[in-house]
Amino acid sequence: MSTNQPVQATEAESGGVPDARQLRSILIAVSIALMAVIASVSGLNVAQTHMAVEFGASQNTVLWIINIYTLALAALLLPLGAVGDRLGRKPMLIAGLGVFGAASVVAGLAPSAEVMLAARVAAGIGAAMIMPITLAVITSTFPEEQRGKAIGVWTGVAGGGGILGMFLSALLVDVADWRWLFVLPVVLVLVALAMTLKSVPNSREPSAHPFDLTGALVSTVAVIGLIFVLQEGPERGWTAPATVISLAIGLVAAIGFVAWELRRRAAALLDVRLFRERGLAGGSITLLVVFGVQAGIAVVLFPFFQAVLGWSGLLSTVALMPMAVMMMMASGLAPKLAARVGSRSTMAVGIVLAGVGLALMALFVSVEGGYLTILPGMLAMGLGMGLSMTPSTEAITASLPREKQGVASALNDVTREFGTALGVALLGALLANGYRSAIDGRLNGIPQETADTAREGVANAVEAAGGAGPHTQDLLHAAQQSFVDGWQQAMWAGVAVMGALFVYVAFRGPKNTAPGVAGEPEVTEAVAAR
């Protein structure tokens, strides 16, 4: 699988190999563009109440305003990543920044929920044009010896950017107005656009085969169906008709996509046979699990900070920052460690540390001890996730030829989105079930109506406690302790998942060599000879 031709094409269009200064500018440009996309995934979560009041919208409509962005982003990543490979990565990045920026302006000025929904769909389309291209620009531009470090920076932004974006969003909502949330992505887009026009070289990979339109359409249907299930299942119910129908459509489309791509072979949008390779399979599964656990942790942490500890939204996001900072630092260190001990060993160490972090939180969390009982676990989690994400991302991009780097990057991003949705759905469900089971035995003597409200969740219980009269303290204690019980169940489930992932990576993970580029046997041989 030779990669020499794509490299020459990239150099010809950029006017030669970029020097160190230009490479730095390229990395900053794509990182800022990625930050705009990532921050918009979670930013609106802090403004749910404000949108509901201003638009007169139901909670379901508000959730759709938040989720439809992720749905559009995930559904179009693969097709638009492939289009970027063919038409040119720089034009696709510029166009995506334009669409995303314009949609953010419209969303910030939206007079109604309907306009906001349309703007969020457009923003998701723009984000799907940006996100895979940012990583593809790195893998197609940076020399092999510097690529790992650049991917580490990209991974750190992708992993920690959501928490940082949530913090900045909460700050804006607290000190200004919720509509100012859209100022941040617009500013980031303008900076990224200016730097892209100046510094980012163009690269494209002409193909002898026509674009796989059928594969693109079927993959879009599959992703929409499956992500819809994960987003709406907890809200509508897992046996609701809409959930079951969506699951059936998603599964049929996914099976159809695999069958079609096997038939297309060299002309496929994504050659699914490559999943036989350890790098692609191991990297994808690791990212799926790690991002799932990370997203699930956020579902657990926010109610703990706000309902159990009584913190504000802004203080709760500040409390997450140590984990985000540790994750971003570890993502930068991971390439150096992988060069010393190998990608598989680095991933395995990261997975163990993440599992230890979950175990620490399960063992020591308490209402009385508060934040300090979970901080060590959060730090271990951040360190472990950072170490495991960078080599996993590089394993995926290195498994596909350079002319398919937009697709490789998109596959990496789709895996993250699926993992996030899956983690939120499963760990959220475990927490909710554990809470309900624990609180049932602690509501003796509480009025029936108040008890029924308390069973719905810890936030509901805290709100109901305000009108519980002499039962206020008993109800608060019961709800907070039951939440901790549910927390521990969710954490131990996460430990079990990370344990299974460790066994898989140890035996079936990427080959334990320093990071190289797929299709460059001389690199692999040189590493093996050391």
Side-chain angles (χ1 to χ4, degrees), residues 467-492:
H471 303 287
T472 295
Q473 289 305 316
D474 291 339
L475 181 57
L476 281 175
H477 178 74
Q480 292 170 343
Q481 193 56 52
S482 297
F483 181 86
V484 168
D485 291 346
W487 165 303
Q488 290 174 317
Q489 289 187 29
M491 293 302 100
W492 286 122

Side-chain angles (χ1 to χ4, degrees), residues 277-331:
E277 294 187 11
R278 286 185 167 196
L280 188 60
S284 298
I285 291 172
T286 300
L287 281 185
L288 181 78
V289 173
V290 168
F291 267 81
V293 171
Q294 180 195 15
I297 289 298
V299 170
V300 173
L301 285 174
F302 265 97
F304 180 76
F305 294 147
Q306 294 179 304
V308 176
L309 301 185
W311 291 359
S312 66
L314 179 59
L315 186 56
S316 298
T317 55
V318 172
L320 288 173
M321 293 305 292
M323 184 169 69
V325 171
M326 188 64 71
M327 189 190 313
M328 297 175 82
M329 289 175 57
S331 296

Side-chain angles (χ1 to χ4, degrees), residues 20-42:
R21 183 177 179 180
Q22 187 179 2
L23 287 174
R24 189 162 49 249
S25 296
I26 292 168
L27 183 57
I28 293 172
V30 297
S31 296
I32 292 174
L34 177 64
M35 182 64 196
V37 170
I38 296 296
S40 294
V41 172
S42 55

Side-chain angles (χ1 to χ4, degrees), residues 100-110 119 182 186:
F100 183 84
S104 297
V105 171
V106 173
L109 301 173
F182 297 98
V186 169

Side-chain angles (χ1 to χ4, degrees), residues 3-4 6-8 10-11 17-18 23 26-27 30-31 89 134-156 331-332 334-336 338-339 343 389-391 393-403 405 408-409 514-520 522-524:
T3 59
N4 292 334
V7 174
Q8 292 169 355
T10 300
E11 292 179 4
V17 178
L23 287 174
I26 292 168
L27 183 57
V30 297
S31 296
R89 295 174 183 123
T134 57
L135 183 56
V137 165
I138 291 174
T139 56
S140 63
T141 304
F142 276 71
E144 189 274 331
E145 65 273 10
Q146 299 181 49
R147 196 172 302 140
K149 293 180 181 178
I151 290 176
V153 172
W154 186 95
T155 304
S331 296
K336 296 179 181 179
S343 296
M389 288 189 299
T390 299
T393 296
E394 194 161 10
I396 293 173
T397 57
S399 297
L400 273 73
R402 206 162 293 173
E403 65 269 19
Q405 282 305 295
S409 305
V517 179
E520 294 189 33
E522 67 275 12
V523 174
T524 305

